[in-house]
Amino acid sequence: LVRFDHMYNQNFNARFYGNDFGYSFRYLPNLTIPIYGIVHHEGYNALYANITEGSENTLLQGRFWGTSGKYFRMSQKFVVRNIYTTVIDRQGNGYDSLLDEILNSNYKVDYKFLSEEDASYVGIAKDYQQTLFEKEILTKQELNNNGNIPISTNYLMSDRENTFIGTKKVTMSTTKQVNEMYDYFRSKGINNQLVTLSGYSKSGNYDRTPYKINLIEGKNNFKDLANNVNENNDLIYLENDYTYSSELNNRITYNNDVARNISKTRMSSNSINLNGNSYDIYRLYPDRVIRFAEKDGSDISKLGFNGVVLNNDVKTLYSYARGSNYYSRTDSLENYYNIYESFESIVMHRPNLYALKYAKAYLDMPITNSQYDYYTDLVPLLPIILKGYLSYFTPDLNFNALGHDRILMMVDFGLNPSYLLTFDETYKMRHTLSSVYYSTTFDSYKDKIVDTYNYVNNALKHVIGETIVNREVLDTGVVLVSYSNGVEIYVNYSSSTYVHSGNVIAASNYKVVI
């Protein structure tokens, strides 16, 4: 939120669904839902705009009260032609040009006016939630096993380490050890697990997507693991991506698969890992990689896994060129849908709206905003939109730097816990690309995971499948969240006990009123 009571000599610009890597122009924010709203006195009048067509080619612009203007204004800007760089030398230098072709997209905005109790960000989120439900983008599918909230556990199995000649495999978790970790949590009463495997391929892990389903162990071992998870009514997925790769992956070919941007240069950039190794990362032609997705979807199903976890494919949308032809983000969308339909089930990392209807669960939910100095409030707009329909999870909590406040925020926002784990000590993969995951050892976290899960579950198990009907800030650091089944959850972030309507909420704690 940006409040109206302060002068800002700044403006806001962002592109829905993030930057288009087909062009050089860049914006920092990443907007996954194509709406914006203005509340003129909460509880009185509000409006919000829902961009229902052409959102992939639309910018959001904010103009704030300052020396250049007296009003706060929000509006969308439709992009019908893009500026690109005509390259004139091998260093990539050139001059700005305007694309002759008009983007092949319709543009449509629905404006909704809200009043009284609906005139707030909660009212906007609830109304938009109903719209998505009516369009069947959202369906009632929160993960519920034995009346407890879900937990996401991603088990990193292996990666590759450079040697004098080539690379060698570094095993971090075998299928037997994944089974042990999974069974341990079940023995502690955690009976709603969303299991993900990464590093399962001989091709390695991290920046080597799309991974071959070329398993580091025999297929029967993976089938046994999948059977164990499925027999307990839990879900198990393999992680992959199909539009993002690097020179480390021999599954793709540079000339045929690496996309060209509108300037006709390859979508390639250099990356340097923590060990100082340099390599190129690529964006791939969306229509070329469908063949990988179709093959992998079949192989995953034969192993008994429920589906795939996708990352970049659901939050990165770009234009590209091939020969004399230009393809917009609208064209890319059609290919993305073909990728999604190659799998029986998909779990997604921060999906944009166009991918949301394919999501079985939402991983890596952003909990903080972009920290611009004109942001005045942090509000759970996305959680309010999704709650009651789709299970959503935190970023991996073994990298939580906010301590107990993050756990309270989970209760406040209705977030489910998520962890990245290895059976062996993390230092064992210190010379691999997965060294960015600096703390993953199962023995170091298993007790904390159980404690955190139970703490959050004791609150949120009462509202599985329920929607948020109101969220009220009672005082600084004290919040009351009301649900559709009448349950109320108080969250007290402050260091003092708080009393409201006869309910006593201890400092740094929550209270559930049923």
Side-chain angles (χ1 to χ4, degrees), residues 189-378:
I190 301 178
N191 52 20
N192 190 359
Q193 299 182 47
L194 173 62
V195 178
T196 303
L197 301 185
S198 57
Y200 55 85
S201 172
K202 290 181 181 178
S203 58
N205 189 53
Y206 201 87
D207 280 354
R208 289 183 171 92
T209 53
Y211 307 119
K212 293 181 180 178
I213 311 301
N214 184 12
L215 304 173
I216 60 172
E217 297 180 32
K219 289 184 178 180
N220 287 336
N221 292 350
F222 282 85
K223 288 180 180 179
D224 291 342
L225 172 60
N227 287 338
N228 183 33
V229 174
N230 289 327
E231 285 173 358
N232 291 308
N233 296 318
D234 287 328
L235 300 173
I236 184 167
Y237 292 78
L238 295 180
E239 190 173 58
N240 217 334
D241 273 316
Y242 293 93
T243 60
Y244 178 88
S245 191
S246 77
E247 65 176 293
L248 304 176
N249 185 358
N250 60 12
R251 193 180 190 187
I252 58 109
T253 58
Y254 182 81
N255 290 332
N256 294 325
D257 296 324
V258 179
R260 293 183 182 272
N261 59 27
I262 304 303
S263 299
K264 303 294 183 68
T265 60
R266 298 285 183 182
M267 291 191 199
S268 173
S269 59
N270 188 253
S271 177
I272 301 177
N273 68 2
L274 295 177
N275 294 316
N277 298 317
S278 175
Y279 57 95
D280 290 335
I281 57 177
Y282 306 136
R283 301 286 170 180
L284 307 178
Y285 285 120
D287 56 342
R288 285 282 304 172
V289 296
I290 294 172
R291 69 191 195 279
F292 296 141
E294 290 175 344
K295 182 181 186 307
D296 294 348
S298 175
D299 291 343
I300 290 171
S301 180
K302 291 175 183 177
L303 289 171
F305 284 72
N306 298 98
V308 70
V309 175
L310 296 180
N311 189 352
N312 290 283
D313 302 6
V314 297
K315 65 182 180 184
T316 303
L317 189 62
Y318 48 86
S319 307
Y320 59 93
R322 183 186 281 116
S324 59
N325 296 320
Y326 298 95
Y327 300 88
S328 70
R329 303 221 286 187
T330 306
D331 298 315
S332 291
L333 265 178
E334 296 303 317
N335 295 306
Y336 278 34
Y337 293 145
N338 288 329
I339 292 174
Y340 303 154
E341 290 169 0
S342 299
F343 302 98
E344 293 181 8
S345 179
I346 308 175
V347 172
M348 299 183 169
H349 283 263
R350 299 191 183 187
N352 292 323
L353 177 66
Y354 56 79
L356 200 57
K357 67 179 179 180
Y358 295 94
K360 181 68 174 179
Y362 185 124
L363 298 180
D364 203 23
M365 169 71 74
I367 295 182
T368 56
N369 56 35
S370 302
Q371 304 296 300
Y372 291 121
D373 59 4
Y374 46 74
Y375 286 164
T376 57
D377 301 72
L378 175 66

Side-chain angles (χ1 to χ4, degrees), residues 122-141:
V122 177
I124 291 172
K126 288 165 55 182
D127 191 274
Y128 186 63
Q129 180 190 68
Q130 183 62 28
T131 298
L132 296 184
F133 174 69
E134 291 172 355
K135 292 183 176 181
E136 298 183 343
I137 294 173
L138 287 181
T139 56
K140 288 281 188 177
Q141 58 172 343

Side-chain angles (χ1 to χ4, degrees), residues 14 18 46 72 94 117 149 163 197 212 240 264 277 285 291 335 359 407 433 466 486 493 512-513:
F72 287 90
E117 64 180 16
I149 66 169
T163 59
L197 301 185
K212 293 181 180 178
N240 217 334
K264 303 294 183 68
N277 298 317
Y285 285 120
R291 69 191 195 279
N335 295 306
I407 309 304
L433 297 184
E466 303 295 333
Y493 294 96
V512 179
V513 180

Side-chain angles (χ1 to χ4, degrees), residues 123-182:
I124 291 172
K126 288 165 55 182
D127 191 274
Y128 186 63
Q129 180 190 68
Q130 183 62 28
T131 298
L132 296 184
F133 174 69
E134 291 172 355
K135 292 183 176 181
E136 298 183 343
I137 294 173
L138 287 181
T139 56
K140 288 281 188 177
Q141 58 172 343
E142 275 202 56
L143 302 179
N144 184 0
N145 191 350
N146 296 311
N148 294 304
I149 66 169
I151 183 173
S152 170
T153 49
N154 182 2
Y155 297 107
L156 201 166
M157 300 188 72
S158 73
D159 205 349
R160 308 296 299 185
E161 179 182 309
N162 287 334
T163 59
F164 182 69
I165 299 177
T167 62
K168 69 175 183 180
K169 179 179 68 174
V170 178
T171 301
M172 299 301 298
S173 311
T174 65
T175 51
K176 181 180 178 181
Q177 291 165 343
V178 172
N179 252 322
E180 287 182 29
M181 292 184 280
Y182 170 76

